[in-house]
Amino acid sequence: MTSSTSRAAPPVRSRPPHDTGAGHAPTAPVFDPRGRLEELARRRGSERLLHVEQVPVRLEQRAEWPDWVNPQVLAAFTGCGIAELWSHQREAAEAAHAGEHVVVATGTASGKSLGYLVPALTAACEGARAPSGRGATVLYLSPTKALAGDQLARVEALAVPGLRAATYDGDTPADERRWIRDHAQYVLTNPDLLHHSLLPRHERWAPFLRALRYVVVDECHVYRGVFGSHVASVLRRLRRVAARYGVEPTFVLASATVADPARHAAQLIGMPVRAVTEDGSPRGPLTFGMWEPGLVAGDDGRPPRRRSAVAESADLLADLVADGVQTVAFARSRVGVEVLSASAQRSLAGDGSTESAGSVAAGGSGEGRSTGGSAPCVSAYRGGYLPEERRALERALRSGRLRGLAATNALELGVDVSGLDAVLLAGWPGTRASLWQQAGRAGRRGSASLAVLVAADDPLDTYLVHHPDAVFGTPVEATVFDPANPYVLAPHLAAAAAELPLTEDDQRWFGPTMPVLLEALVARGLLRRRPRGWFWTRDEPATDHVSLRGSGEAEIRIVERGTGRVLGTVDGERAHSAVHTGAVYVHQGQTHVVTEFDLVDGSALVVRGDPGWSTQARSVSSFDIVGVDRRVPWGQVELSYGHVDVRTQVTSFMRRLPSSEVLGEHPLDLPERTLRTKAVWWTMPPELLEACGITEVDVPGAAHAAEHAAIGMLPLVATADRWDIGGVSTALHPDTGLPTVMVYDGHPGGAGFAERGFDAARAWLSATRDAILSCRCERGCPACVQSPKCGNGNEPLDKAGAVRLLGAVLGEAPAPSPD
């Protein structure tokens, strides 16, 4: 192991192998990721490469095929060159075949799918001998349509005789749906369709459900926070309906490496689950760089600022693609993906003439122009695209015609794209599990690979690239969600009552809080209690009252005014700040302006055109403490966790030039929104703050800056993205009578993030203080105390005051326990 503090020669550290079992190392790589990374640093500035981590080869552990595998299934796999299994595949397959619920949680590209495919296809083939021809069926669930489509392609490529597999989702033509329900043995879908279609119309699926042998839940680590709570309720509804048809299917879950996968899987399905975590697959060497963009001069006498991670990643993507390195760059938002892709295309084209993503989707050549000839195509891939656009981009990437891609995590989730050499991460992806999942997209055939984390101008990103042990020396996080969240569970109880009348016995599926929630649903007129149970009372589908992936509000459609074409959608909870009248909206690199935002119709009308500025919504927020669940005294400081009401109203928006100059602020007339959720907060007496040099007039700026930094650092201890959480601070709160700083879950009923912050408050707030201290700016910047989503325009902020405030709070904390 070698290390150095020289900026020109960043520390290089070799990690111990993940496995030490006997086996064979992958073939010696042709691609030289370390050399390529050093070349990037020479081109862009060696001081930007802060650290290099070397993750070495992992040796494989092989296992024989089980004796019980159906001969046709065995022949299909061996015909594809799979003569043996890896150890974790055999362990998972054996458990599932024995009827044991199992989760396989191993690294990216470790072949987790064989752990469920082997028993599932064996059951389907043996079930074909039944009089119905369908004695055993399999239901596969994935979080994205793209992943389900990719898994179908894998199953079809095996060409198992007599196997009937099909995807069933919102894109499936109506004439195919009946055939699938009546004949398919292996159905691939997603939790959304299960929720909105299969369960409410389970009578149509009766033959399929009577034969249901396995339920596969792929990429189950994605189901966290409120989304995880929703999916947990859907899976309990599935188990309940399946029991109605006399079956108890075996659940097989596949996950990226997470802390305590057995607990996570058990929370999802409501039953004990066995975990398979020892990865027996080989892994080529991975070179992982930690990269901090350089400083650029400020405008109009402002201090220098850090270059954005999106702009920096666009340049790195263009460099790698121009050198023939097939690369995926992950960005954290849809807008970031569009900007990254467009910027890389411009760099490759030289004169600004490039091919758009749309032409790739239409089957174009995938080439732009540059001074050196044809420039390889770069495109964007994100949620919100039409199905045909997504699938055309996937084909172009697999074929190699598309050399560079900017993507959201829609591509993170296991889509089989082979041959990638490098991955760029434009900003911290939110969790270590996502980091390794995205990095694993390169080198998926055992070859050497390169990954680079490009730090965003954000407190957590800055902290991590300067403290690499927080990434490479720390286990992945535990996933967090609450299956008993009443704001999630109640509408699912209503949906369950619409599927089959609820009875007291159904507490075995939905838990002990069910009776209280049913009383509330009866009081609201949604359910009616009768001697045989609780019944749904409305004409409309009960599932219309809840969205799995949002706050429960309907999505807002983005509609092109001139043509009526739907360009995309935005979550109802984000719509007020994202698509208000006057907002700038980007779709596939094309800029649009919102001309009308209609809350009643659920649409935002846009016209195409780039006005030359961006927009940022401004809002006002306040909170009321509804109840305290837990409280811990820290000397003069009090740390609390409980229920709060957060009131927010978008009041205006600002127009900014690319130079950050504000052109003007424009009022908006939008209703106030109230969010009842969970929060962690702490209070401080004025005397404590005065003792550390924070006067009464300085409290608002110090508390506001500490709040921003704490929001940015919470994902260090919880599986949250900073966009999943919010905060409010005040110099004097009416409920506490003291200066108060609060960080809350941005979802109704809470998502578990604030509670994790409460439990890990010392580590969380210590890292927050350290992140602010380590930032080299003078008065505060996006890398420490400024927030990209601040509704007050980042005013007032007091960086030095935040350090003193957090120091005073931590000084009152009890000493950590010896263990």
Side-chain angles (χ1 to χ4, degrees):
M1 182 174 74
T2 62
S3 65
S4 169
T5 58
S6 169
R7 299 282 291 193
V12 181
R13 182 170 58 187
S14 295
R15 305 289 297 167
H18 293 286
D19 293 288
T20 56
H24 304 282
T27 306
V30 175
F31 175 54
D32 177 16
R34 180 62 193 274
R36 189 68 62 183
L37 181 59
E38 291 174 348
E39 175 61 24
L40 290 174
R42 280 193 294 270
R43 291 178 186 174
R44 298 290 170 183
S46 58
E47 74 283 354
R48 302 185 185 192
L49 182 59
L50 302 183
H51 179 84
V52 179
E53 191 81 11
Q54 294 292 160
V55 182
V57 167
R58 179 179 62 222
L59 303 179
E60 67 183 356
Q61 299 179 57
R62 298 184 179 183
E64 296 295 324
W65 281 93
D67 294 336
W68 48 261
V69 179
N70 179 275
Q72 293 177 316
V73 174
L74 180 61
F77 280 112
T78 55
C80 295
I82 304 175
E84 295 176 297
L85 298 175
W86 289 318
S87 57
H88 64 277
Q89 295 170 331
R90 169 75 184 255
E91 184 181 351
E94 290 280 18
H97 179 69
E100 188 174 7
H101 307 301
V102 61
V103 56
V104 53
T106 52
T108 307
S110 61
K112 292 185 285 286
S113 60
L114 263 72
Y116 57 77
L117 281 173
V118 171
L121 297 182
T122 291
C125 286
E126 292 177 350
R129 295 194 291 266
S132 66
R134 201 165 58 159
T137 59
V138 180
L139 182 66
Y140 168 94
L141 302 173
S142 76
T144 67
K145 295 177 184 178
L147 179 55
D150 184 78
Q151 288 295 316
L152 176 64
R154 290 186 186 183
V155 171
E156 290 179 336
L158 291 170
V160 178
L163 180 68
R164 299 183 298 275
T167 56
Y168 193 105
D169 56 36
D171 300 332
T172 305
D175 57 344
E176 293 182 17
R177 294 191 173 201
R178 182 172 180 176
W179 184 93
I180 293 171
R181 292 194 301 266
D182 293 345
H183 301 289
Q185 303 148 296
Y186 195 107
V187 174
L188 302 96
T189 186
N190 52 68
D192 307 84
L193 187 132
L194 187 61
H195 166 64
H196 286 291
S197 179
L198 192 155
L199 290 174
R201 301 172 180 84
H202 59 84
E203 297 90 349
R204 298 182 181 182
W205 290 85
F208 180 89
L209 291 170
R210 287 193 185 98
L212 186 60
R213 184 76 56 84
Y214 291 105
V215 176
V216 177
V217 184
D218 206 355
E219 304 289 350
C220 70
H221 61 281
V222 171
Y223 304 125
R224 56 185 174 86
V226 171
F227 187 30
S229 300
H230 278 298
V231 173
S233 291
V234 171
L235 294 178
R236 284 158 174 75
R237 287 164 50 201
L238 173 63
R239 289 175 53 211
R240 176 174 177 260
V241 168
R244 163 68 175 76
Y245 292 97
V247 297
E248 295 184 9
T250 298
F251 282 77
V252 187
L253 303 97
S255 171
T257 304
V258 297
D260 202 354
R263 178 179 178 274
H264 172 66
Q267 278 192 301
L268 268 178
I269 70 171
M271 295 179 290
V273 178
R274 172 180 171 180
V276 175
T277 58
E278 187 72 17
D279 195 333
S281 66
R283 167 78 203 193
L286 170 66
T287 298
F288 208 125
M290 305 292 270
W291 187 286
E292 185 174 49
L295 294 171
V296 295
D299 301 302
D300 300 327
R302 294 188 180 93
R305 56 183 174 84
R306 190 71 61 186
R307 192 165 185 250
S308 79
V310 168
E312 190 84 355
S313 298
D315 286 349
L316 296 177
L317 177 61
D319 286 349
L320 289 167
V321 169
D323 291 342
V325 180
Q326 193 176 35
T327 306
V328 167
F330 287 102
R332 297 190 292 196
S333 69
R334 292 181 176 186
V335 173
V337 165
E338 298 286 0
V339 172
L340 200 159
S341 171
S343 180
Q345 288 181 41
R346 286 193 297 270
S347 295
L348 287 166
D351 62 356
S353 176
T354 69
E355 181 183 46
S356 70
S359 60
V360 176
S365 66
E367 295 180 345
R369 290 185 289 133
S370 72
T371 55
S374 294
C377 181
V378 173
S379 191
Y381 183 107
R382 60 166 174 79
Y385 281 4
L386 297 176
E388 55 269 25
E389 292 175 324
R390 294 196 308 267
R391 289 163 186 166
L393 290 171
E394 290 160 15
R395 288 193 299 269
L397 189 62
R398 288 194 188 100
S399 69
R401 183 165 54 87
L402 187 60
R403 302 301 300 170
L405 194 68
T408 59
N409 66 352
L411 191 68
E412 173 191 335
L413 302 175
V415 179
D416 184 21
V417 178
S418 61
L420 301 183
D421 301 311
V423 167
L424 301 171
L425 295 91
W428 176 248
T431 66
R432 296 178 191 89
S434 288
L435 178 93
W436 292 112
Q437 183 83 346
Q438 292 180 4
R441 297 314 306 263
R444 289 180 68 94
R445 293 294 183 242
S447 59
S449 57
L450 171 66
V452 182
L453 172 62
V454 181
D457 223 359
D458 176 276
L460 181 56
D461 289 52
T462 302
Y463 179 84
L464 291 173
V465 294
H466 286 275
H467 299 80
D469 274 340
V471 176
F472 302 109
T474 305
V476 294
E477 308 88 346
T479 51
V480 177
F481 67 95
D482 179 12
N485 181 334
Y487 291 89
V488 173
L489 182 55
H492 283 283
L493 288 174
E499 291 153 8
L500 296 166
L502 284 165
T503 68
E504 295 281 0
D505 291 341
D506 288 324
Q507 289 187 63
R508 62 175 173 144
W509 313 112
F510 301 113
T513 63
M514 186 188 82
V516 174
L517 296 176
L518 290 179
E519 288 179 11
L521 292 169
V522 170
R524 291 168 54 192
L526 297 175
L527 298 184
R528 180 176 299 163
R529 185 168 189 179
R530 293 175 177 169
R532 292 192 299 113
W534 285 265
F535 290 75
W536 174 248
T537 62
R538 304 287 188 88
D539 293 331
E540 72 271 15
T543 51
D544 286 355
H545 290 250
V546 58
S547 166
L548 302 190
R549 300 175 190 258
S551 62
E553 300 179 58
E555 291 184 327
I556 300 297
R557 294 169 290 114
I558 314 299
V559 180
E560 196 170 45
R561 178 181 284 275
T563 64
R565 183 169 66 102
V566 176
L567 300 181
T569 59
V570 64
D571 294 338
E573 60 194 302
R574 293 180 49 242
H576 283 226
S577 57
V579 291
H580 55 77
T581 301
V584 173
Y585 175 79
V586 180
H587 178 75
Q588 288 197 355
Q590 301 295 330
T591 303
H592 301 74
V593 176
V594 179
T595 60
E596 182 182 352
F597 178 37
D598 189 335
L599 283 170
V600 176
D601 182 59
S603 64
L605 299 182
V606 301
V607 294
R608 182 170 167 178
D610 187 350
W613 60 73
S614 62
T615 54
Q616 181 180 14
R618 302 197 67 175
S619 61
V620 293
S621 299
S622 60
F623 69 96
D624 301 317
I625 297 173
V626 177
V628 179
D629 295 343
R630 300 164 65 188
R631 178 180 285 138
V632 176
W634 281 9
Q636 301 179 72
V637 173
E638 189 167 77
L639 181 73
S640 303
Y641 166 76
H643 291 76
V644 298
D645 281 343
V646 181
R647 301 191 306 276
T648 304
Q649 183 175 22
V650 175
T651 57
S652 62
F653 70 96
M654 294 187 299
R655 293 183 297 131
R656 291 183 183 270
L657 292 174
S659 65
S660 296
E661 178 186 351
V662 176
L663 292 177
E665 183 173 353
H666 308 273
L668 292 169
D669 183 18
L670 292 170
E672 182 181 80
R673 300 155 61 83
T674 299
L675 171 71
R676 177 158 291 187
T677 185
K678 298 287 188 71
V680 54
W681 65 91
W682 65 93
T683 59
M684 309 143 288
E687 302 79 30
L688 177 66
L689 298 179
E690 289 173 3
C692 66
I694 302 175
T695 64
E696 182 179 355
V697 71
D698 296 328
V699 171
H704 193 196
E707 170 217 323
H708 279 185
I711 291 170
M713 294 301 292
L714 183 58
L716 185 68
V717 298
T719 52
D721 185 277
R722 75 175 297 160
W723 298 94
D724 292 327
I725 48 186
V728 184
S729 57
T730 177
L732 179 65
H733 193 274
D735 292 338
T736 66
L738 294 168
T740 306
V741 178
M742 185 190 77
V743 176
Y744 62 86
D745 293 339
H747 301 277
F753 308 137
E755 185 172 22
R756 179 62 185 147
F758 178 87
D759 291 334
R762 172 185 284 276
W764 169 36
L765 297 181
S766 295
T768 301
R769 179 198 56 193
D770 294 346
I772 303 172
L773 275 172
S774 65
C775 186
R776 297 192 298 272
C777 75
E778 186 176 339
R779 297 186 178 180
C781 69
C784 57
V785 299
Q786 292 181 3
S787 169
K789 57 176 185 174
C790 180
N792 296 315
N794 285 300
E795 291 290 343
L797 291 177
D798 183 348
K799 176 185 177 181
V803 173
R804 292 195 296 271
L805 183 150
L806 290 166
V809 169
L810 290 164
E812 296 292 304
S817 58
D819 56 354

